[in-house]
Amino acid sequence: MQKTLKRITPVKTEFFEKAQKRLDNLTKPLGSLGRLEEFARSLVAISENTMPVLDKKVIFTFAGDHGVAEEGVSAFPKEVTRQMVFNFLNGGAGINVLARHAGAEVVVIDIGVDYDFNPQSTPLSKSGDEGDLKGEMGGLFISKKVVMGTKNIRKQPAMTRQEAEQCIGAGIELATAYAQKGYKIFGTGEMGIANTTPSSAIAAVLTGKPVSEVTGKGTGIGDDALRNKIKVIEDAIAVNKPDPSNAVDVLAKVGGAEIGGIAGLIIGAAANGIPVVIDGFISTAGALIAYCIEPNTKDYMFAAHNSVEIGHKAMLEKIGLRPILDLDLRLGEGTGAALAMLIIEAGLKIYKEMATFGEARVSKNE
């Protein structure tokens, strides 16, 4: 991780300026396409290419279980995590539909599911890459398993420090491998029953806000269950005493394996000069971990949307990101990232394909 962090630098302002010069010469009033122009500028600066391409897109959906599920903080049972992994691999989940719509591939990573995805006993087949497996109709499956689910954070740390660092390392490895394969933009996603609980804990610790202000109903729990969830998170923070000045300590004590994987993916993306689209609440918890480890990662992030989860806005504000969409989404998986990719790509197409005043023989304003 330390070697990777040393490779992360702020994006170069000269590329913003080059992009702005072209945008200002397109056949439109200055700044009239608003944030689409912002997205184009960012892509130029991140790629250090005045004519970037987004021909290869991938969304990484990290899966992990959580011991805190036993505290009744979710409306769904724990086994749904592994069941949804199979759904992703068979192409039947929301992320599969929206990724197909966006022209992005889906890669499902087992980083902490409490289940053995053995190819001899599951409907998976070998893909072209050694060690990778593929579902019959859906995404690629990669095992980066660090833990068989985290521990119950109400009673003890989620992981050891070493395990947390391994989760981050797994994300970095994926980012580097896919950058080397020529992928031009990444999206983050996740699956893990009860994972809004550690995400809320991370939000509370790293933003300094009370647990009640950053904890929502997740998969749709009732008011009584929400009160219990808030108490569980408060207890977890009191028992584990995560250090707000040390994001890896926070991840280890009250986080989750998939959150660590997402943080690592973002760190790896930034080190390799790849833009990364952050999905919703849980993905943003991973983004916040990455940002607190290395603030320059912010330059490489796009915030896909503003989730219904009440703690999402606080984390985005802490990082300094403005969401692209606001559609009352709260599914996760990477669904918001897939949708936002379409908008980001629209900004790039405007930048590259729209005629300049000179090309169109249109008079410029005085």
Side-chain angles (χ1 to χ4, degrees), residues 23 26 28-38 350 354:
L23 286 164
L26 299 179
K28 60 177 179 57
L30 292 177
S32 59
L33 283 171
R35 296 198 68 197
L36 292 181
E37 299 185 29
E38 170 198 325
I350 283 289
M354 193 172 178

Side-chain angles (χ1 to χ4, degrees), residues 200-211 213-214 244 288 314 318:
S200 294
I202 289 168
V205 174
L206 293 180
T207 68
K209 293 186 177 294
V211 172
E213 292 184 15
V214 293
L288 184 56
K318 176 73 174 180

Side-chain angles (χ1 to χ4, degrees), residues 313-365:
K313 184 178 180 181
M315 290 195 288
L316 290 174
E317 288 177 348
K318 176 73 174 180
I319 301 170
L321 293 176
R322 183 181 170 196
I324 295 170
L325 302 168
D326 192 345
L327 300 173
D328 292 344
L329 300 177
R330 57 180 179 88
L331 178 59
E333 303 180 358
T335 48
L339 289 170
M341 278 186 180
L342 292 164
I343 306 300
I344 293 165
E345 190 169 20
L348 181 60
K349 288 188 174 184
I350 283 289
Y351 169 83
K352 292 175 66 175
E353 299 176 18
M354 193 172 178
T356 64
F357 283 101
E359 291 166 345
R361 298 183 181 181
V362 173
S363 299
K364 295 184 74 172
N365 63 317

Side-chain angles (χ1 to χ4, degrees), residues 153-228:
I153 60 174
R154 193 177 201 178
K155 299 175 181 177
Q156 63 189 107
M159 299 175 277
T160 66
R161 171 88 182 202
Q162 182 180 13
E163 287 167 342
E165 290 176 350
Q166 285 179 300
C167 291
I168 293 171
I172 291 172
E173 288 173 2
L174 282 166
T176 301
Y178 274 77
Q180 291 172 349
K181 291 178 183 181
Y183 286 80
K184 301 299 195 301
I185 189 168
F186 299 160
T188 69
E190 43 60 44
M191 177 63 216
I193 292 302
N195 62 8
T196 59
T197 296
S199 297
S200 294
I202 289 168
V205 174
L206 293 180
T207 68
K209 293 186 177 294
V211 172
S212 60
E213 292 184 15
V214 293
T215 304
K217 293 188 175 182
T219 49
I221 57 176
D223 291 340
D224 289 343
L226 176 60
R227 284 189 286 272
N228 173 63

